[in-house]
């Protein structure tokens, strides 16, 4: 999720698109799925969108996905994404795949780059998913 147009160099590809084209072409299928199927889990893509990593894009993950479409599940990164985990969490990406970097998160917390409250939002979403699965 979203605008991942190719496999070659997908970790560094930058999908340049207007907001109108993104909403009418690239995001429309995701919107229909979120509103009709109510998924519990969505994976953010590797690529950049207009210069920002999809997994670090708050406008995409929080404003559109959660705010406009009502998604209430968790968002994970794709495997071994190059994004900074604290930026992903601040943007609404809850889970770093395949494993997070706890030492980097601890440093971000210690230096005030991320707050405990911001981290707890992701923890709450992950725990809610676990409770749904149990």
């Amino acid at each position: 999720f979203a605008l991942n147009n190719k496999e070659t160099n997908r970790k560094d590809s930058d999908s340049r698109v207007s907001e109108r084209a993104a909403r009418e072409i690239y995001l429309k299928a995701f919107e229909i799925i979120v509103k009709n199927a109510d998924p519990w889990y969505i994976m953010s893509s590797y690529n950049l969108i207009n210069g920002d990593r999809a997994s670090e894009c708050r406008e995409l993950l929080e404003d559109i996905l959660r705010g406009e479409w009502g998604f209430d599940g968790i968002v994970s990164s794709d495997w071994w994404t190059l994004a900074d985990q604290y930026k992903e969490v601040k943007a609404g990406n809850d889970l770093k795949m395949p494993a997070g970097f706890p030492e980097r998160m601890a440093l971000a917390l210690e230096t005030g780059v991320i707050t405990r409250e911001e981290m707890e939002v992701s923890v709450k979403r992950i725990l809610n998913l676990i409770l749904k699965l149990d």
Side-chain angles (χ1 to χ4, degrees):
F1 178 66
L3 288 93
N4 184 21
N5 293 339
K6 63 181 187 169
E7 286 300 306
T8 303
N9 195 33
R10 65 187 172 140
K11 289 186 179 183
D12 292 314
S13 70
D14 190 357
S15 301
R16 297 290 177 153
V17 65
S18 69
E19 181 177 353
R20 180 176 178 182
R23 287 179 177 275
E24 292 180 5
I25 299 169
Y26 297 100
L27 297 178
K28 196 60 168 172
F30 288 105
E31 179 181 10
I32 291 167
I33 290 166
V34 168
K35 289 181 175 179
N36 294 330
D38 192 27
W40 295 351
Y41 186 100
I42 291 178
M43 182 179 73
S44 59
S45 54
Y46 282 125
N47 60 296
L48 290 89
I49 302 171
N50 295 329
D52 297 315
R53 295 209 171 275
S55 63
E56 297 176 350
C57 184
R58 185 171 183 84
E59 180 182 13
L60 179 66
L61 303 179
E62 285 295 326
D63 299 347
I64 296 172
L65 180 63
R66 290 194 170 96
E68 292 180 26
W69 300 347
F71 177 71
D72 67 351
I74 69 167
V75 176
S76 79
S77 68
D78 203 337
W79 282 59
W80 301 114
T81 180
L82 301 175
D84 287 315
Q85 188 175 5
Y86 78 88
K87 290 179 183 177
E88 290 177 324
V89 171
K90 290 175 81 69
N93 205 93
D94 304 303
L95 184 62
K96 183 78 166 178
M97 293 303 287
F101 298 98
E103 65 285 348
R104 293 183 193 171
M105 288 297 289
L107 181 60
L109 180 63
E110 287 173 21
T111 58
V113 177
I114 192 168
T115 66
R116 180 181 174 101
E117 291 76 21
E118 289 171 315
M119 293 168 62
E120 286 175 349
V121 170
S122 290
V123 170
K124 182 179 177 183
R125 290 180 186 142
I126 293 167
L127 291 175
N128 283 335
L129 177 62
I130 291 169
L131 291 174
K132 283 182 182 180
L133 296 172
D134 189 24

